[in-house]
């Protein structure tokens, strides 16, 4: 039986909670978006025997829809939006049907899920990173300058919103923000780390390690594990995360769809 988000009742919610409890690293986006991003979220659930056997989760919070496809689904492609999307395929068996339906407008890249816990974490230079605060105008302006250097279209209001919503750390050199990393999803069991970026002319100096270490330190101090996603071909980034104690826990295809 296929149920849409509007049919989410107590029994279905309990099944979602059980999924997350069994595997927080896989289902963190599902729980987070249903709790904190409901107005920007669509979802369809394949329910069998009272339990969620598969789902398609769609988050509409940016220019590209963020889509997660997991489990046993008869026609997953029918539930995926035909708009600009990044589709994380958590069950590799669903990749073939998706690509067949989406056609030549879909591009596949393989990503690693890498995680670390308190026992494995080896911080490097975390004390060099500064927590970026939305209420600090200097941090907002520095964040905007970095965004412009990256070619991102971001307003001051958008910068403040990101700094307030996410936990960002940055490394400054001679007063310039040159590297950032953030936790963009925070739950008691898992924080997801991302947006790790260093200006090209400042790479190779340990700044990414410092910013990522600071975010990871906060995640582990809260009692959660830290999780991040990295393109399998991005060997420099993988070396950085491995040096901090992160280890690959899954390999998944991501589908980039442009209609």
């Amino acid at each position: 039986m296929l149920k849409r988000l509007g049919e989410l009742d107590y029994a279905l919610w309990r099944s979602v909670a059980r999924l997350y409890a069994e595997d927080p690293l896989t289902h963190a986006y599902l729980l987070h978006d249903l709790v904190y991003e409901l107005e920007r979220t669509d979802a369809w659930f394949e329910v069998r025997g009272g339990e969620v056997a598969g789902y398609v989760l769609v988050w509409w919070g940016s220019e590209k829809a963020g889509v997660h496809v997991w489990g046993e689904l008869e026609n997953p492609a029918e539930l995926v939006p035909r708009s600009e999307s990044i589709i994380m395929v958590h069950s590799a068996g669903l990749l073939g049907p998706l690509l067949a339906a989406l056609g030549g407008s879909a591009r596949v890249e393989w990503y690693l899920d890498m995680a670390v816990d308190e026992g494995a974490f080896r911080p490097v230079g975390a004390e060099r990173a500064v927590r970026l605060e939305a209420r600090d105008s200097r941090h907002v302006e520095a964040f905007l300058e970095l965004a412009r250097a990256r070619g991102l279209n971001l307003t001051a209001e958008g910068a403040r919103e990101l700094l307030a919503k996410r936990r960002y750390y940055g490394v400054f050199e001679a007063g310039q923000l040159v590297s950032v990393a953030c936790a963009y999803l925070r739950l008691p069991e898992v924080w997801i780390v991302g947006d790790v970026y260093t200006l090209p002319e400042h790479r190779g100096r340990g700044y990414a390690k410092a910013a990522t270490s600071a975010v990871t330190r906060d995640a582990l101090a809260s009692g959660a594990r830290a999780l991040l996603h990295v393109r399998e071909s991005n060997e420099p980034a993988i070396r950085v995360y491995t040096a901090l104690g992160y280890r690959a826990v899954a390999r998944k295809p991501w589908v980039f769809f442009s209609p």
Side-chain angles (χ1 to χ4, degrees):
M1 178 187 301
L2 192 65
K3 290 190 174 184
R4 195 166 183 177
L5 182 57
E7 301 174 80
L8 183 63
D9 55 17
Y10 179 69
L12 184 53
W13 176 250
R14 288 191 63 187
S15 180
V16 168
R18 282 192 290 270
L19 275 182
Y20 174 74
E22 292 169 2
D23 188 355
L25 297 184
T26 296
H27 302 294
Y29 289 97
L30 177 64
L31 187 73
H32 179 272
D33 290 355
L34 293 182
V35 173
Y36 298 107
E37 297 283 335
L38 191 58
E39 72 282 358
R40 298 177 176 179
T41 299
D42 278 333
W44 292 261
F45 303 93
E46 180 65 36
V47 181
R48 298 176 186 173
E51 298 293 334
V52 176
Y55 62 79
V56 173
L57 177 74
V58 183
W59 180 72
W60 298 102
S62 65
E63 294 179 358
K64 297 181 181 180
V67 184
H68 297 264
V69 182
W70 174 84
E72 300 175 18
L73 294 163
E74 292 185 5
N75 298 297
E78 293 182 0
L79 307 177
V80 171
R82 294 303 194 268
S83 59
E84 194 88 9
S85 305
I86 300 175
I87 307 166
M88 189 185 299
V89 184
H90 296 273
S91 302
L94 299 175
L95 180 61
L98 279 173
L99 294 180
L102 296 176
S105 297
R107 171 175 56 87
V108 178
E109 292 191 22
W110 287 85
Y111 275 70
L112 299 178
D113 288 356
M114 300 186 73
V116 66
D117 57 24
E118 188 175 10
F121 182 43
R122 298 189 297 271
V124 177
E127 68 282 352
R128 301 166 68 186
V130 176
R131 173 81 180 272
L132 301 180
E133 301 282 359
R135 61 178 178 268
D136 189 322
S137 60
R138 295 168 299 177
H139 288 175
V140 173
E141 183 56 36
F143 191 75
L144 272 174
E145 288 182 8
L146 182 63
R148 295 188 191 106
R150 298 171 66 179
L152 302 178
N153 184 21
L154 189 65
T155 64
E157 181 180 353
R160 281 191 292 271
E161 181 180 349
L162 280 176
L163 294 180
K165 187 174 184 179
R166 301 177 176 182
R167 180 164 299 194
Y168 268 96
Y169 278 88
V171 177
F172 288 83
E173 185 177 275
Q176 180 187 16
L177 182 62
V178 298
S179 184
V180 292
C182 81
Y184 61 87
L185 184 156
R186 287 174 285 163
L187 292 169
E189 293 77 16
V190 56
W191 286 24
I192 300 185
V193 175
D195 199 22
V196 181
Y197 180 84
T198 303
L199 289 171
E201 61 270 26
H202 294 280
R203 291 174 184 169
R205 304 178 189 179
Y207 296 154
K209 286 182 182 178
T212 305
S213 288
V215 178
T216 304
R217 175 200 60 202
D218 286 6
L220 302 182
S222 78
R225 295 178 72 187
L227 172 72
L228 54 79
H229 313 297
V230 58
R231 194 172 66 250
E232 189 177 47
S233 60
N234 191 349
E235 294 181 1
I238 292 173
R239 285 196 295 270
V240 167
Y241 304 139
T242 300
L244 301 181
Y246 281 85
R247 294 293 180 267
V249 294
R251 178 177 180 264
K252 297 174 182 176
W254 288 27
V255 179
F256 295 81
F257 177 66
S258 298

